[in-house]
Structure formats: C-alpha cells, structure tokens
Amino acid sequence: DAKTTQPPSMDCAEGRAANLPCNHSTISGNEYVYWYRQIHSQGPQYIIHGLKNNETNEMASLIITEDRKSSTLILPHATLRDTAVYYCIALLTGNQFYFGTGTSLTVIP
Amino acid sequence: GAVVSQHPSWVICKSGTSVKIECRSLDFQATTMFWYRQFPKQSLMLMATSNEGSKATYEQGVEKDKFLINHASLTLSTLTVTSAHPEDSSFYICSARYFGGSRGYTFGSGTRLTVV
C-alpha cells in the first residue's frame, strides 16, 4: 500500500471550511484513498473514501487530483466536535489498514 | 449498519494476570478482523489480522504467545493479553472489514487496559 504524508497539525476557525491535505504520490491505480478520524480515546470513525472521482457525503468532501498523487478532505463548516486526528490511508480494499501519524485538527471557537 | 462492539471499554488488572477483550460484529459477518494497539499520543499500530477459523497473522515484533487471538465465529474475535505487565497498558482497538456497504472498514470503540 502507498505511503501517505500529512501535516502533523492544523487549526481551523469554527464555522469555516477545514481543508486537510494528503500526499500519496506512489499510489497505484487500484488503491483507494480512505479518510478516518479519531476523537480522543475513541475508535476511528469512517469519513469518506474514493478511487478517482471526487466524493461527497453528509460528513465531508474528498477531492482527488487528476494524477491521484494527492487529495484533500474538506469539512465544509467545521465545528468544535470536529477536533480530532484525521488519517489518510491509501490501500487496496481488503488489505490490512496501516495508520500513519495523521493530522491533528483543532477547531478554534 | 456495520457496527463493531468491543467489550470491555476499560479494564484494570493486576500484573501477571490475563485479560480477554471481545470484538463482535453486530449486524454483519466478519471473516477478517484486525487488532490494534495505541499508546498515548501515538498512532494506531496494527498487531494482528484475525481470520475466522484459522490462525491469526501477527505483525513483526508482536508476541503471538502473549497476545492470543481467537476468531472462532464470523461475529466474534477475542484478544487475550496473557501474563499482563504494566508495559502492556494501552488502548486496544479492533476493526472488521465490512463488505456490504461503502464504509470498507469499521472500528470498535476501543478498550483501555491498565495493568497495575
């Protein structure tokens, strides 16, 4: 599975959009990009995943570049409850899930 | 759908005793489950992959005789920490691959183990 690189931390003002980048320059054609988040002392929570096309659900939007070497998770209107560590993972569905260090997002009132 | 229930949510045990953690898939069958460990301020580390009806596959550096994994049914996997020591104190999390929907992988809420 491709290695991913994320900034260690980010801040975002409450109510504003949070844009979390992820670099996965070695991603292969069949590897999906998954995003999960972990709120302190809880299990990871699924956010969204995609292969090529941009995806949107009730939680977030996922923008994948045309060359698939990077992606951005967008939380359109961040709230204090969105403060968490966000993990971007690239893998072949069915493989083991290896977590990187993620991005610690702090939403500021 | 795709709920994984983990029990207990926290446990305190004495050094030298064994502790069993259960991971159940409530509304789907999980042929494969994963066990993770997380130390404070660190990321989740995959410990082992649990396959229903067969032996678990352990990651390099994880002692299989210390962390016993049993996956006897399609809805239950257990992790037993044998002869626990204070350094085994950690947050243990299970996960299962969900084939029926778009989520892919679903995680339990975790078990906080404290060995005193």
Side-chain angles (χ1 to χ4, degrees):
Chain A
D1 299 325
K3 180 181 177 180
T4 60
T5 304
Q6 299 177 254
S9 64
M10 292 182 63
D11 292 338
C12 176
E14 187 178 17
R16 303 296 293 270
N19 296 284
L20 291 88
C22 179
N23 183 287
H24 32 79
S25 58
T26 62
I27 195 170
S28 69
N30 296 326
E31 288 181 317
Y32 284 76
V33 178
Y34 283 83
W35 282 85
Y36 280 74
R37 71 181 183 184
Q38 185 181 27
I39 296 170
H40 183 62
S41 294
Q42 297 182 22
Q45 176 190 22
Y46 169 84
I47 302 174
I48 200 166
H49 77 288
L51 183 63
K52 297 180 182 178
N53 300 321
N54 298 336
E55 302 286 345
T56 296
N57 62 21
E58 66 277 6
M59 288 184 68
S61 294
L62 173 61
I63 307 298
I64 303 174
T65 58
E66 192 169 343
D67 63 7
R68 301 209 327 121
K69 293 186 177 182
S70 66
S71 62
T72 301
L73 177 73
I74 301 172
L75 307 178
H77 305 287
T79 70
L80 299 180
R81 288 178 295 180
D82 292 322
T83 292
V85 178
Y86 288 76
Y87 295 98
C88 166
I89 299 143
L91 84 164
L92 288 170
T93 301
N95 283 3
Q96 290 91 336
F97 227 75
Y98 293 98
F99 286 85
T101 52
T103 295
S104 178
L105 174 69
T106 302
V107 179
I108 302 170
Chain B
V3 176
V4 169
S5 174
Q6 195 170 335
H7 180 80
S9 57
W10 61 270
V11 58
I12 301 172
C13 72
K14 291 185 177 181
S15 186
T17 62
S18 296
V19 175
K20 180 184 285 187
I21 302 169
E22 292 187 349
C23 182
R24 294 182 183 273
S25 56
L26 297 186
D27 49 3
F28 68 102
Q29 293 183 330
T31 56
T32 303
M33 290 187 176
F34 307 95
W35 287 95
Y36 294 83
R37 179 169 54 180
Q38 185 176 34
F39 293 108
K41 298 188 183 301
Q42 294 187 20
S43 186
L44 290 83
M45 297 293 294
L46 179 65
M47 299 175 66
T49 301
S50 164
N51 298 296
E52 186 267 336
S54 64
K55 291 184 179 180
T57 303
Y58 291 81
E59 294 296 304
Q60 190 172 7
V62 177
E63 300 175 61
K64 62 180 181 181
D65 294 331
K66 180 168 186 63
F67 299 99
L68 300 180
I69 292 173
N70 183 283
H71 194 160
S73 79
L74 288 171
T75 59
L76 175 64
S77 177
T78 61
L79 168 67
T80 301
V81 183
T82 63
S83 187
H85 291 286
E87 56 265 31
D88 298 323
S89 298
S90 188
F91 191 51
Y92 292 87
I93 305 167
C94 68
S95 170
R97 168 94 196 281
Y98 176 57
F99 288 88
S102 62
R103 295 189 176 185
Y105 300 80
T106 188
F107 288 79
S109 55
T111 297
R112 174 76 57 193
L113 170 63
T114 303
V115 184
V116 298

